[in-house]
Amino acid sequence: MSKQSYSTHHGMVDLLPGEIEQWQALEAIIRETARRYHFQEIRTPVMEQTELIARGVGQLTDIVSKEMFAFDRGEDRYVLRPEGTAPVARAFVQHHLAQRGGCQRLFYIGPFFRAERPQKGRQRQFHQFGAELIGASGAIADVEIIAFMLAVYRQVGISNITLKLNSVGDPASRNAFRKALHDYFLPLKDDLSEISRKRLDTNPMRILDSKEEEDQPLKAGAPKIIDYLTPESKAHFDAVITLLEKMHIPFERDPFLVRGLDYYTETAFELVSPDLGSQDALGGGGRYDLLIEEVGGQPTPAVGFACGIERLMIACEALGITLADPAGPDLYFVTRGEEAAQWALENMPALRGKGIVCTMDYSGRSLKAQMKDANRQGARFAVIVGEQELADNRFTLRNMAESDEVTVSPDELADRILP
RNA sequence: GAGCCCAUAGCUCAGUUGGUUAGAGCGCCAGGUUGUGGCCCUGGAGGCCGUGGGUUCAAAUCCCAUUGGGCUCCCCA
C-alpha cells in the first residue's frame, strides 16, 4: 500500500548508462596495458576470511580496526575485502602459484569496501585496479610495477601527476628507525597531537603521516628512515632510484611517506594529483616481502600497487578527458502496426549476426515519435516498415546524419549499413 | 568519532519583509506535419517545498527536532 522508497547505502553509487561507458573504456585501457606488460588478471571473491585481512593488513591499521564490513555466520567470519593485496597473497599461497615457476605477474580490477565517512574521492564501495609481482626481489621488479602503473595514466592522458618515493626498510631497518623515532618524540610527547601521542607506542612511524597542525614542527626535526636503513635496504632503495632515473621516470623523494598498511617493506610509493581535492592520492604501493609468509606461504618477495578508479575518474573530469561516449544503434526499426513490428523482430537477428547493432520501437507510437526516439538514441540509420513496404518488400532506409533516404530490399540492408 | 554547508518538478535552480490555485529553463509526452528526427511554435503531464512538531489568522519562507546528501578533519584508493 504505502510506497516505500529505496536507495543505495551511504557511500555506494549506481553507475548508469551515460557514465558507465567511461568506466568500460578505462577498464579496456587497463586490460590492454596489462596485456602489454604481461600481467594476467586474477579475480578473487569480494569476501574473505576476516582473519586473513586482520593478519595481512595489520590489526592496528585503521582499515582493520574500524573500517571493515564484517559479519559472522556460524563458525565462519566474513569480511568484505578492504584491499586487494592480502587476497592475492592468499590466492598465491592457496593455489601454490609458486609451483608454476618464475614470478607471478597478476593484476586485478574490482570493488573494495571500507566503512568510512564518504567524501569526495572516497566511497564505501570503491574500485581499484592493481598489480602484484610476486617472487621477485630485485629493484627491477619495483620499477616494472611503477612503470606499469604510470603507463595506465599515460594511456588515459593524465600527465600532471607526481610520483612520491620513499623506503620503509626491512624489519631491521624499521626496528632501528622505530626506536630512534620513539626516542625523538618521547621528550616531545606533551606537544604532540592526541592521535600522534597514541601512536608513539603503537606505531611511531605513523606520526610522520600526521597532518595535524601541532605535529608539523615536531616532524621537521624527526629522524629520517633513510638514515636508519640497513646496508641492504639502502642498496635496494638506491638501485630503485638509479633505475627510475635510467627509465626517465620523474619522482620526488618524500622522507615522510609511510604507507598505512603493515605489510609494506622497502620501497614505498604514492601517486598524487593536484586535481583530486582533499583526497589527493591516485594510487600507491610498494614492496611487501613479508606478507606471503605472514599468510602461510614460503618467504616470498613481492611488490605491487593499487589505484583508485573513482579518483582517476575525478582527475579525468577535471582535465576534460572523455574516454568514450555512449554508442547509438546502427539501425532503428520504425514500424507501423503489429505486423510491421513482428517483421522487424524477425529480421533483426540476421542483421545482428552480421554485427549490426539493431533496435526498434516497442510502443507502437507515431512515426514521428519513433523517429524522435531514433534520433535521441543516436541511430545511424532508421528503416521504415509500414504496410506499403511490407506489400512491396521494399523499405525506406534513412541516413539520420545526412537526412537522405533510399529504398532497399531486405537483402540490401546490411550492405547499406556496414561501413 | 568530530566540524561546516545543503534539502522546492526527472535534472539545474528561482521563490521579494511570512500573504490567495508554488514558478522558470532543460528533459519527458502530445499536437502543429492523416507516414519522417534535429530547429521553431503550442499544449500537457509531473511537487504533501525531505520528514515530524512548534509559532502565527496565515509557513516553501521563522523556530526546534529528525532523516538524507555534500564537503572537511582523521586515514586511505
Side-chain angles (χ1 to χ4, degrees):
Chain A
M1 295 292 273
S2 68
K3 255 194 186 167
Q4 175 72 45
S5 70
Y6 300 98
S7 62
T8 53
H9 273 121
H10 200 205
M12 301 187 180
V13 302
D14 298 314
L15 286 174
L16 305 177
E19 183 180 19
I20 197 73
E21 293 82 6
Q22 180 87 354
W23 280 67
Q24 291 169 334
L26 174 62
E27 286 166 12
I29 288 172
I30 293 165
R31 289 175 197 287
E32 175 58 18
T33 308
R35 194 181 71 78
R36 293 184 190 182
Y37 276 76
H38 199 246
F39 280 79
Q40 292 180 302
E41 184 172 6
I42 181 169
R43 297 190 194 185
T44 63
V46 294
M47 289 199 274
E48 291 283 351
Q49 294 181 356
T50 304
E51 189 60 19
L52 167 75
I53 304 299
R55 286 185 65 98
V57 176
Q59 288 286 357
L60 295 177
T61 59
D62 284 0
I63 290 176
V64 171
S65 63
K66 59 184 188 191
E67 297 172 358
M68 294 205 297
F69 285 105
F71 64 94
D72 293 351
R73 198 176 161 83
E75 296 291 295
D76 298 319
R77 300 181 66 206
Y78 292 82
V79 63
L80 287 168
R81 59 184 188 182
E83 60 96 48
T85 300
V88 170
R90 192 222 78 236
F92 178 86
V93 175
Q94 180 177 340
H95 302 290
H96 309 287
L97 296 187
Q99 296 303 312
R100 296 190 177 191
C103 64
Q104 297 297 308
R105 305 162 67 89
L106 304 168
F107 83 96
Y108 59 84
I109 305 175
F112 297 89
F113 304 84
R114 294 182 197 172
E116 295 182 276
R117 205 63 167 251
Q119 65 189 64
K120 186 172 186 181
R122 167 179 292 163
Q123 298 295 324
R124 289 185 160 187
Q125 175 174 339
F126 59 104
H127 298 78
Q128 290 186 331
F129 67 94
E132 316 290 355
L133 212 168
I134 305 174
S137 60
I140 286 178
D142 301 33
V143 175
E144 262 279 89
I145 274 289
I146 290 171
F148 174 26
M149 177 176 79
L150 293 174
V152 172
Y153 291 89
R154 188 168 57 245
Q155 289 301 313
V156 172
I158 294 173
S159 53
N160 56 337
I161 48 180
T162 303
L163 178 67
K164 300 205 298 191
L165 189 72
N166 196 21
S167 173
V168 295
D170 58 14
S173 308
R174 291 169 77 162
N175 285 338
F177 179 54
R178 201 173 278 129
K179 183 172 184 318
L181 272 182
H182 191 268
D183 291 347
Y184 169 80
F185 280 118
L186 193 58
L188 306 170
K189 187 169 182 177
D190 293 340
D191 299 326
L192 283 171
S193 65
E194 192 185 335
I195 180 85
S196 292
R197 249 194 327 269
K198 274 190 209 153
R199 286 179 182 152
L200 184 53
D201 292 315
T202 57
N203 193 352
M205 285 173 68
R206 291 277 298 284
I207 298 177
L208 301 182
D209 249 353
S210 169
K211 289 170 189 160
E212 296 287 329
E213 197 69 37
E214 59 258 54
D215 292 340
Q216 300 312 313
L218 305 178
K219 269 170 61 175
K224 305 228 180 338
I225 180 92
I226 192 75
D227 299 321
Y228 293 83
L229 294 179
T230 59
E232 293 76 18
S233 286
K234 180 74 165 58
H236 183 87
F237 190 44
D238 288 343
V240 170
I241 287 171
T242 301
L243 289 171
L244 286 174
E245 286 168 348
K246 193 170 248 178
M247 299 278 288
H248 306 294
I249 295 174
F251 64 91
E252 275 178 20
R253 297 273 297 266
D254 181 353
F256 295 131
L257 175 63
V258 179
R259 311 241 67 233
L261 283 55
D262 280 3
Y263 52 63
Y264 284 110
T265 55
E266 308 288 356
T267 316
F269 55 87
E270 195 165 289
L271 195 62
V272 298
S273 159
D275 299 313
L276 295 187
S278 178
Q279 307 304 322
D280 67 347
L282 280 166
R287 183 161 276 286
Y288 50 96
D289 291 337
L290 305 176
L291 178 62
I292 303 290
E293 189 178 6
E294 181 69 30
V295 300
Q298 295 296 312
T300 308
V303 60
F305 73 84
C307 292
I309 294 182
E310 283 83 358
R311 292 187 184 177
L312 200 161
M313 291 302 182
I314 291 171
C316 280
E317 202 177 339
L319 298 169
I321 297 173
T322 301
L323 300 173
D325 289 309
D330 295 314
L331 182 59
Y332 188 112
F333 281 82
V334 173
T335 63
R336 297 272 301 172
E338 180 65 18
E339 194 186 340
Q342 288 185 14
W343 187 89
L345 179 68
E346 288 165 24
N347 280 273
M348 285 193 293
L351 293 164
R352 286 168 174 158
K354 292 178 179 175
I356 294 170
V357 180
C358 302
T359 190
M360 62 178 288
D361 174 79
Y362 302 100
S363 63
R365 295 191 290 177
S366 71
L367 197 76
K368 177 175 175 168
Q370 293 186 48
M371 288 301 294
K372 197 173 170 181
D373 192 40
N375 182 61
R376 175 172 36 218
Q377 293 195 37
R380 290 171 53 224
F381 292 90
V383 64
I384 291 156
V385 184
E387 286 138 32
Q388 193 61 52
E389 284 82 355
L390 288 173
D392 300 346
N393 204 32
R394 303 281 296 171
F395 299 86
T396 304
L397 181 67
R398 182 177 179 86
N399 182 319
M400 298 297 281
E402 306 297 327
S403 294
D404 58 26
E405 297 181 347
V406 291
T407 304
V408 299
S409 70
D411 297 339
E412 294 172 303
L413 265 182
D415 288 337
R416 289 283 186 170
I417 290 161
L418 288 169

